[in-house]
Amino acid sequence: MACNERTHGLMLKYVVTAFCFAFVSIFSFEQKPWLGDFLEFHFIPSFTYRYYPSVSRSFNPTSYSSNDKFTRVDLGVCFLPSWDAQVGIEFAATRKQTLGTQSGALQVRYQWFNDIGGDAISWTTGLNIRGVNRRSLKDVSCVYHDRWNFELVNAVGKEFATNANWLFRTFGFLGVGQANKGRPWVRGIASFEAHFIPKHRLQAYAEGYFGFGKTRRINIRNFDGYANIFHQSIDVGLGYFYLINRQWGTLSLSYSYRVLAKAFPKNAQTVTIAYNFPFSIF
């Protein structure tokens, strides 16, 4: 009986993992300044649906909308006490792209300070490198600048806790990037999270993405990435996280709305579901 229960438990675990792999994605790499447990891996499949009714400052044609679906799989690990790394692959299906690989990326971060360990704040610095499919760069739904995109990232945050559990935490994120051609970009995030009920977590956030190219209009049919586009966007959103348990990890659901867009997809509504599955091979 015990053997059968263990077998059924393993089967259920694999089924849930497979289900989440099929139906979950486009969270970016880790942005919070807190690292995971030492030598614990995190498998994070996710699925994102995004709809935008128009593109700001576009022509050829002036009217363009898209229903976008992004599937992403990330794998991360804290490989040293103050270092973590993530690798990821992203697939896209949009008005212009049939389902296929859009990009692959690697990120490495170092944690300077850790407020959980007694420091005043947590602070991480990292570098990510993303390679993008040339076909995807022809699509305005692909938000990257060019074939190779390099970004230096910093995140600073603090948790406010009673006893062993934190009640709320806040962090700010800043990324400065440059592709293999064109002008640089800046990306920023401000986030506030509440954790008043065990297993349940809420997040409110705003994210801005600003490119400093010289071109202020988007030619839809002859688009070739955002490297030379002077683009701006601000999204505001809410996220919900549910901790199944320590073994099974966390499910999350988020929604965001684009409140500002210049030379970028406008009034975008985005929904993402993700699964963070922790495991260890040691």
Side-chain angles (χ1 to χ4, degrees):
M1 177 71 74
C3 181
N4 287 337
E5 289 178 354
R6 285 195 298 270
T7 302
H8 291 158
L10 286 172
M11 289 178 64
L12 177 61
K13 188 171 184 177
Y14 294 139
V15 168
V16 171
T17 302
F19 175 84
C20 292
F21 177 86
F23 290 94
V24 229
S25 182
I26 201 173
F27 274 171
S28 358
F29 281 146
E30 187 59 72
Q31 297 155 338
K32 298 186 295 292
W34 300 281
L35 305 186
D37 293 336
F38 179 48
L39 294 182
E40 180 178 79
F41 289 82
H42 288 262
F43 173 66
I44 311 173
S46 62
F47 175 78
T48 293
Y49 171 77
R50 178 182 66 199
Y51 169 73
Y52 59 86
S54 62
V55 177
S56 169
R57 297 179 178 175
S58 66
F59 66 99
N60 192 26
T62 55
S63 178
Y64 187 86
S65 63
S66 183
N67 290 278
D68 302 333
K69 294 166 281 292
F70 302 99
T71 302
R72 181 170 181 154
V73 182
D74 293 336
L75 179 66
V77 63
C78 183
F79 62 92
L80 288 172
S82 297
W83 289 86
D84 73 358
Q86 282 183 281
V87 293
I89 187 169
E90 176 188 29
F91 305 91
T94 70
R95 176 173 173 175
K96 197 162 187 176
Q97 298 183 71
T98 55
L99 180 62
T101 305
Q102 176 162 278
S103 73
L106 165 70
Q107 175 171 279
V108 178
R109 302 189 305 161
Y110 177 76
Q111 187 178 57
W112 302 97
F113 300 114
N114 180 11
D115 68 315
I116 299 174
D119 295 322
I121 60 170
S122 287
W123 173 25
T124 59
T125 297
L127 175 69
N128 65 60
I129 302 172
R130 182 174 297 275
V132 182
N133 190 322
R134 172 56 68 187
R135 177 197 66 163
S136 297
L137 289 171
K138 305 296 182 182
D139 184 0
V140 293
S141 291
C142 175
V143 299
Y144 307 119
H145 275 219
D146 205 64
R147 290 296 302 276
W148 293 101
N149 302 267
F150 305 88
E151 187 177 47
L152 179 66
V153 299
N154 279 276
V156 176
K158 186 172 180 60
E159 289 189 352
F160 299 87
T162 58
N163 300 322
N165 299 316
W166 61 273
L167 295 179
F168 61 91
R169 66 185 182 187
T170 184
F171 74 88
F173 168 94
L174 179 66
V176 179
Q178 175 64 53
N180 54 286
K181 75 173 186 181
R183 295 296 185 91
W185 72 85
V186 171
R187 188 165 59 97
I189 297 173
S191 171
F192 177 85
E193 292 181 78
H195 190 212
F196 299 114
I197 303 174
K199 294 192 173 186
H200 302 272
R201 192 167 92 239
L202 292 175
Q203 178 188 31
Y205 62 92
E207 178 172 5
Y209 181 36
F210 307 93
F212 300 103
K214 293 183 177 180
T215 304
R216 294 176 179 263
R217 300 191 68 195
I218 291 182
N219 187 331
I220 299 289
R221 291 202 178 102
N222 293 314
F223 187 72
D224 191 28
Y226 285 92
N228 295 308
I229 304 294
F230 186 82
H231 64 84
Q232 303 175 33
S233 67
I234 297 177
D235 293 15
V236 296
L238 294 172
Y240 168 71
F241 302 79
Y242 174 70
L243 174 65
I244 302 170
N245 55 43
R246 187 68 182 83
Q247 178 185 9
W248 287 95
T250 303
L251 287 168
S252 64
L253 178 68
S254 68
Y255 168 81
S256 66
Y257 179 77
R258 186 157 298 149
V259 297
L260 170 71
K262 293 183 179 180
F264 209 67
K266 190 177 180 181
N267 301 127
Q269 299 190 66
T270 304
V271 177
T272 298
I273 182 170
Y275 177 49
N276 187 329
F277 177 67
F279 68 95
S280 178
I281 59 175
F282 300 100

